[in-house]
Amino acid sequence: MTTPSFESGVRPAVVVVSESSADVLMAEFERYARDYTITCAGSAIEGITLLSRLRSDGVPVALIVTESELPDMNLLEALSAFRSIVPTARRIVGIHWSNFLVHSETLRPALQKGKFDTFLLIPRGPRDEEFHYAITELLSDWGATVAVPEVEVLRIIAPALTPLTMQIRDFLERMGMPYRTYSPESPEGVQAAQFLYSDDETARPDPAPHPLVHSLRGPGTEVIAPTTVRDVAVMIYGRPSDVEVDTVVDLAVIGAGPAGLAAAVYAASEGLSTVVIEKEATGGQAGTSSMIRNYLGFPRGISGMRLAQRARTQALRFGARFFTGWAVDSVRTDDPAAPYRLVTEGGDVCARSVLISTGVAYRRLGVAPLEGLVGLGVHYGAAMSAAREMEGQDVFVVGGGNSAGQAAIHLARYARSVTIVVRRPDLSETMSQYLIGEIAFNPRISVCGSCEVIDGGGTGRLEWITLRDRNTGSEDRRPAGGLFLLLGASPHCEWLLGGVERDPNGFVLTGRDVPRDRWRGDVPPANLATSEPGLFAAGDIRAGSMKRVAAASGEGASVVPLVHAWLESLRRTETAP
């Protein structure tokens, strides 16, 4: 059974399933009646019938709120049935206050396995904003990952889902930019082309270039025919050259993953002039995670995109500046105006100190036929925007880490089946237990241990892959509509100064791991300082890092006192007689 596509303009439904607390719950959801159709069923069977009707009528279901006791079916059986009908809906269990202690305890194991999203105490009176905070969080998550956006910031005009179109879509989703895709023949497509060639219609080539990206921000309009994702990033966010060359910032952060974002927040909040340069989208690998459930302070989980965008907004509030879509090509130290000059194709940034927080890239699979289909069913990373294209498909996720587990769970909302392919016998050594439990419960997800992908192909896009059993050598050709590759960590910092010490795998050495001959006397660099004074490293790029979002955030914040100490040493040197 597949998930239907819904057109913008159809009001999504919130379905309440309750016998004894229906009046209370329906009254609570009146505040959402402008944007959602609020419906009610008095039993599990009625709920199944209602959900089936909404589905067949093409009405998206955003939220299912069911009481913890149902008159005609076991709660977990009912939730499983609801999920099979509408796998993309968020599921909440409401518990009456008289049963809360008992029911919350018995439901925790099911919550840990992902059988529903959260349980809440049914409100006992007006203005229970804690209840509604949870509701709006889940509605926001559904709206960001499932619903067609009602408000557009950008339009993509494309006749087909080319690799570039998919890359642009993925970039916009990771940046939290609402967009919709239109065909060139649509009124929106015709309008975009008219704007692009408004000065000289005769200059329009035949056929016209696609995709086009039409920005709707502000009172004016802008249309470009991008050849790279960077072109879109420049249209939205500008160039590093927008930072005046004669301005030397206190801290330049290279990479806007969790470590870089945390450093930007703390540095800017403490008055340091801060610039962040990011090659791709804000959030790094963590930004592609559909749901991070073990990050401190988010009991219902948070998507990597949401976490990254909140951190970016927080840093901007304190005065940090961001430039997205630009790789740092080199770091120079021969400029007398500043200790460091960061060179990009869009301009240079001069800085007194630098944080390297570029994270890691997914390793390449190395199967030539599949490399040729990247963007056409084959994706490196979670590729959130591609999930909706996987309806009714058999999908494969290669990798055994938490990112792979989160991607598999998200893809299972859409795909007919999801197979996790790992070279190890199972997931126990590489994935968090909460994800292993949720994967084991999900009937759409299976794990293929001691396996590897050795071949694949298709006409124009991915249609099949070949798996090989590492124990027996047997090969199995399987139909595949999507292949998502999350193959561990490979550092990418070839652009670094030659004097920055790295381990044999290319990760940056810091603190006591720096070779002793690079220490100053008998004193090693500070724990996050590299072999080059004033240049620091944090997050996954650092040798020995924990490779977890919280750990990277902590390292990014911990760099700031070291930056202060370095800047103070520079001031003392400048004022010395």
Side-chain angles (χ1 to χ4, degrees):
M1 186 176 293
T2 61
T3 304
S5 298
F6 303 112
E7 292 298 324
S8 177
V10 178
R11 279 204 304 173
V14 171
V15 176
V16 174
V17 183
S18 174
E19 182 184 46
S20 59
S21 301
D23 291 344
V24 174
L25 289 170
M26 289 296 287
E28 289 294 334
F29 279 94
E30 284 181 0
R31 66 168 69 181
Y32 306 98
R34 188 193 70 174
D35 299 318
Y36 298 87
T37 299
I38 314 300
T39 60
C40 185
S43 67
I45 298 300
E46 289 181 15
I48 291 170
T49 302
L50 174 58
L51 289 169
S52 299
R53 187 178 75 246
L54 291 169
R55 181 187 179 86
S56 62
D57 290 344
V59 178
V61 178
L63 197 66
I64 302 170
V65 184
T66 179
E67 196 171 358
S68 59
E69 283 188 321
L70 297 173
D72 56 346
M73 189 179 290
N74 174 272
L75 174 65
L76 298 183
E77 291 177 356
L79 287 168
S80 179
F82 299 160
R83 180 178 190 164
S84 67
I85 300 168
V86 191
T88 56
R90 298 335 187 223
R91 300 175 304 281
I92 293 176
V93 175
I95 307 176
H96 191 272
W97 63 270
S98 61
N99 299 319
F100 192 79
L101 290 178
V102 174
H103 286 193
S104 62
E105 194 64 32
T106 57
L107 286 172
R108 277 199 179 89
L111 178 62
Q112 291 169 353
K113 294 179 179 178
K115 295 185 178 182
F116 56 95
D117 291 288
T118 193
F119 57 70
L120 300 171
L121 183 66
I122 294 175
R124 300 175 64 179
R127 296 185 302 280
D128 187 342
E129 300 306 336
E130 185 64 27
F131 174 86
H132 290 287
Y133 181 72
I135 298 296
T136 53
E137 270 192 333
L138 289 167
L139 288 174
S140 175
D141 175 54
W142 179 86
T145 57
V146 179
V148 175
E150 298 289 344
V151 178
E152 303 167 318
V153 173
L154 293 148
R155 291 173 178 168
I156 300 173
I157 314 301
L161 289 179
T162 63
L164 177 58
T165 302
M166 291 299 297
Q167 291 169 17
I168 293 171
R169 285 176 51 171
D170 191 54
F171 173 77
L172 295 177
E173 296 220 2
R174 290 174 63 186
M175 294 303 298
M177 284 281 177
Y179 73 92
R180 294 189 71 187
T181 304
Y182 296 91
S183 70
E185 296 76 24
S186 67
E188 293 81 3
V190 172
Q191 181 189 51
Q194 288 173 341
F195 278 124
L196 183 64
Y197 299 106
S198 58
D199 293 335
D200 184 4
E201 183 65 25
T202 62
R204 183 190 299 203
D206 186 19
H210 289 105
L212 302 179
V213 176
H214 184 181
S215 173
L216 305 175
R217 302 185 307 159
T221 187
E222 182 180 2
V223 179
I224 63 171
T227 58
T228 65
V229 175
R230 175 185 291 174
D231 295 336
V232 180
V234 171
M235 180 175 71
I236 302 172
Y237 299 111
R239 297 170 174 268
S241 57
D242 293 341
V243 179
E244 296 81 1
V245 174
D246 59 351
T247 297
V248 181
V249 299
D250 293 322
L251 174 63
V253 179
I254 309 174
L261 289 168
V265 168
Y266 281 90
S269 71
E270 295 181 15
L272 300 180
S273 55
T274 305
V275 168
V276 183
I277 304 174
E278 168 55 50
K279 177 182 178 182
E280 297 178 354
T282 303
Q285 282 191 3
T288 69
S289 296
S290 58
M291 185 59 64
I292 303 170
R293 296 195 183 278
N294 61 348
Y295 192 76
L296 183 68
F298 294 91
R300 288 172 287 275
I302 184 171
S303 72
M305 181 275 288
R306 293 283 190 206
L307 184 63
Q309 292 309 315
R310 289 183 183 187
R312 181 178 183 273
T313 300
Q314 197 172 8
L316 287 169
R317 179 183 177 185
F318 289 123
R321 300 183 68 181
F322 285 76
F323 296 95
T324 304
W326 298 95
V328 174
D329 296 324
S330 63
V331 178
R332 290 168 41 193
T333 58
D334 56 356
D335 191 331
Y340 294 104
R341 176 182 286 269
L342 281 56
V343 180
T344 82
E345 291 184 10
D348 298 351
V349 173
C350 294
R352 298 180 181 87
S353 63
V354 174
L355 171 63
I356 307 164
S357 54
T358 48
V360 293
Y362 291 114
R363 293 198 304 269
R364 309 301 289 190
L365 183 64
V367 177
L370 292 173
E371 295 292 345
L373 293 173
V374 171
L376 298 170
V378 178
H379 305 276
Y380 279 94
M384 295 284 291
S385 62
R388 299 186 187 96
E389 315 302 327
M390 296 297 113
E391 294 177 12
Q393 301 286 340
D394 297 307
V395 174
F396 293 81
V397 175
V398 182
N402 279 8
S403 295
Q406 291 157 355
I409 291 168
H410 181 66
L411 287 163
R413 297 181 186 274
Y414 303 89
R416 177 171 55 196
S417 71
V418 178
T419 303
I420 301 176
V421 180
V422 286
R423 295 166 63 90
R424 296 174 184 266
D426 54 40
L427 302 172
S428 59
E429 295 183 27
T430 57
M431 191 176 292
S432 295
Q433 188 58 46
Y434 83 93
L435 285 169
I436 294 175
E438 192 164 346
I439 286 166
F441 161 73
N442 196 312
R444 295 189 178 191
I445 305 177
S446 60
V447 179
C448 185
S450 301
C451 275
E452 57 188 350
V453 178
I454 62 168
D455 199 5
T459 304
R461 61 166 292 113
L462 180 70
E463 295 174 354
W464 58 272
I465 64 169
T466 299
L467 300 177
R468 179 168 62 197
D469 189 305
R470 290 170 54 81
N471 295 326
T472 66
S474 62
E475 298 180 3
D476 181 19
R477 178 164 162 160
R478 307 269 291 273
L483 177 64
F484 295 81
L485 302 164
L486 298 96
L487 295 167
S490 176
H492 49 89
C493 50
E494 308 79 21
W495 46 270
L496 267 177
L497 293 165
V500 177
E501 299 288 345
R502 281 165 271 186
D503 73 6
N505 295 316
F507 293 92
V508 178
L509 296 172
T510 57
R512 289 185 174 274
D513 292 333
V514 171
R516 198 175 184 89
D517 61 358
R518 299 296 304 274
W519 294 13
R520 293 188 172 185
D522 290 328
V523 181
N527 59 339
L528 297 173
T530 71
S531 52
E532 293 290 325
L535 197 148
F536 307 90
D540 290 358
I541 194 66
R542 191 180 67 81
S545 64
M546 188 178 173
K547 307 295 187 292
R548 287 288 187 267
V549 175
S553 300
E555 289 186 9
S558 298
V559 160
V560 176
L562 306 181
V563 171
H564 276 297
W566 166 249
L567 295 177
E568 180 59 31
S569 71
L570 288 180
R571 281 190 285 270
R572 287 198 301 267
T573 301
E574 292 170 356
T575 57

